[in-house]
């Protein structure tokens, strides 16, 4: 079985997971929620095997590099990291309903990769022929994934807060009763960003080292570098405001969503719409 077939299976399994999570919200049946989680984990395992197989296929073709070198491979890896970070947070904090707001991100990435991107294995351009590729890409995307999870949690927070304001003192009913308390959602948002921010910082540092290796300079104000710095400042502002100014709740949730929007533009918008040293990522 080829890696492409396994990636197709992964996409289908993530779709099943998302649908089951939505059913979990509708029925409030814990067993259905468990199925949604296990489907997400099963998809992640299949995707892990597919990534390893694609790596082997590149060596069989004489190309021989980690499957992280083009837009297709990076989107697939991004989806993989989203489920990884979600799984860590779910297993640690036991809030399964978060999957209904996070798994769709992974599904969208896989669906776009499988239906809209070129999936061929190609030789590395000279700038990518370095071990820094692994260090930089892995740390950056783990950070991006944590921000995706934080964004999903922040959306839950805003929905729950709005419903509580509408209901007044009455307890939340329907699907909203499945959500954790807004205080817990706010804390989970903070914890996810605390996972992502050091990883993004490490990704920028390894990227600077890689840039010096490839182009002879640590920083050149390339659009990708500039936007990565903007994203870093957004989340640094989030943490600073929370620690020193006590920013919690709605403002923190909105800033988390803005930060993830900036992250997506840094990742996709720069590559697709702006030219620069990272144009090979198109």
């Amino acid at each position: 079985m080829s890696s492409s077939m396994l990636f197709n299976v992964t996409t289908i399994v993530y779709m099943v997971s998302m649908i089951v999570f939505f059913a979990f919200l509708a029925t409030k049946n814990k067993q259905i929620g468990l199925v949604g989680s296990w489907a997400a984990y099963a998809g992640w395992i299949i995707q892990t095997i597919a990534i390893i197989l694609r790596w082997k296929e590149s060596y069989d073709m004489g190309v021989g590099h980690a499957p992280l070198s083009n837009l297709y491979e990076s989107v697939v890896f991004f989806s993989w990291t989203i489920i990884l970070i979600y799984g860590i947070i779910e297993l640690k904090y036991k809030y399964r309903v978060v999957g209904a707001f996070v798994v769709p991100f992974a599904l969208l990435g896989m669906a776009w990769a499988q239906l809209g991107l070129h999936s061929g294995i190609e030789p590395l351009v000279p700038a990518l022929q370095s071990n820094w590729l692994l260090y930089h890409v892995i740390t950056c995307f783990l950070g991006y994934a944590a921000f995706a999870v934080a964004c999903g949690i922040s959306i839950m927070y805003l929905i729950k807060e709005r419903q509580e304001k509408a209901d007044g003192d009455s307890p939340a009913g329907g699907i909203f009763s499945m959500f954790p308390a807004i205080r817990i959602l706010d804390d989970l948002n903070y914890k996810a960003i605390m996972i992502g921010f050091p990883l993004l910082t490490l990704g920028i540092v390894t990227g600077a080292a890689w840039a010096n290796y490839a182009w002879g300079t640590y920083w050149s104000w390339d659009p990708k570098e500039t936007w990565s710095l903007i994203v870093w400042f957004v989340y640094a502002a989030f943490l600073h405001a929370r620690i020193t100014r006590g920013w919690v709740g709605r403002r923190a949730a909105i800033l988390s969503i803005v930060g993830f929007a900036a992250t997506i533009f840094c990742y996709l918008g720069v590559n697709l719409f702006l030219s620069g040293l990272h144009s090979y990522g198109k």
Side-chain angles (χ1 to χ4, degrees):
M1 182 175 287
S2 68
S3 62
S4 294
M5 293 177 65
L6 287 178
F7 284 136
N8 285 330
V9 172
T10 299
T11 305
I12 294 170
V13 175
Y14 285 162
M15 182 181 295
V16 169
S17 175
M18 183 186 73
I19 293 170
V20 172
F21 271 125
F22 289 167
F24 173 47
L25 285 176
T27 63
K28 296 184 282 188
N29 186 308
K30 292 182 179 180
Q31 294 303 314
I32 292 177
L34 181 63
V35 172
S37 292
W38 281 111
Y41 299 152
W44 184 83
I45 292 170
I46 295 169
Q47 190 174 10
T48 302
I49 296 170
I51 290 171
I52 295 171
L53 184 56
R54 185 177 175 89
W55 201 336
K56 178 181 180 298
E57 289 168 354
S58 75
Y59 276 93
D60 292 341
M61 294 173 58
V63 176
H65 61 74
L68 303 169
S69 63
N70 57 34
L71 186 57
Y72 172 83
E73 292 173 345
S74 70
V75 170
V76 167
F77 186 69
F78 188 24
S79 296
W80 182 87
T81 57
I82 289 173
I83 299 300
L84 173 64
I85 298 296
Y86 157 69
I88 291 171
I89 288 179
E90 186 201 306
L91 291 173
K92 182 173 177 60
Y93 298 107
K94 312 300 182 183
Y95 294 112
R96 183 163 287 126
V97 69
V98 173
F101 292 84
V102 174
V103 172
F105 288 140
L107 172 61
L108 284 172
M110 287 303 298
W112 183 40
Q114 296 308 107
L115 299 174
L117 297 177
H118 175 61
S119 62
I121 298 175
E122 300 171 347
L124 290 175
V125 299
L128 296 180
Q129 295 174 6
S130 167
N131 287 331
W132 287 109
L133 171 68
L134 280 173
Y135 312 143
H136 175 62
V137 173
I138 289 174
T139 52
C140 278
F141 277 101
L142 285 172
Y144 291 174
F147 297 151
V149 173
C151 179
I153 292 169
S154 295
I155 292 170
M156 292 178 68
Y157 179 95
L158 294 177
I159 293 172
K160 177 99 174 184
E161 183 199 44
R162 181 175 181 180
Q163 184 63 28
E164 287 190 352
K165 286 182 178 179
D167 292 342
D169 295 330
S170 302
I175 65 171
F176 304 107
S177 64
M178 302 290 295
F179 290 16
I182 57 174
R183 175 185 56 80
I184 293 173
L185 289 170
D186 180 67
D187 189 55
L188 288 176
N189 179 35
Y190 171 68
K191 284 182 168 63
I193 290 175
M194 282 297 293
I195 293 172
F197 185 72
L199 288 165
L200 176 64
T201 303
L202 189 57
I204 291 173
V205 170
T206 55
W210 185 11
N212 186 61
Y213 170 85
W215 302 310
T217 178
Y218 288 100
W219 197 269
S220 59
W221 294 106
D222 174 75
K224 190 81 162 184
E225 295 171 351
T226 303
W227 270 95
S228 67
L229 189 61
I230 290 172
V231 171
W232 189 89
F233 275 122
V234 169
Y235 286 106
F238 174 96
L239 294 175
H240 175 76
R242 187 180 185 95
I243 293 169
T244 66
R245 300 288 182 179
W247 267 38
V248 295
R250 182 179 181 82
R251 290 183 295 182
I254 291 173
L255 189 55
S256 175
I257 294 170
V258 169
F260 185 60
T263 300
I264 290 299
F265 187 81
C266 175
Y267 169 40
L268 295 175
V270 171
N271 283 30
L272 297 175
F273 303 119
L274 302 177
S275 61
L277 295 173
H278 288 78
S279 296
Y280 53 74
K282 293 183 180 179

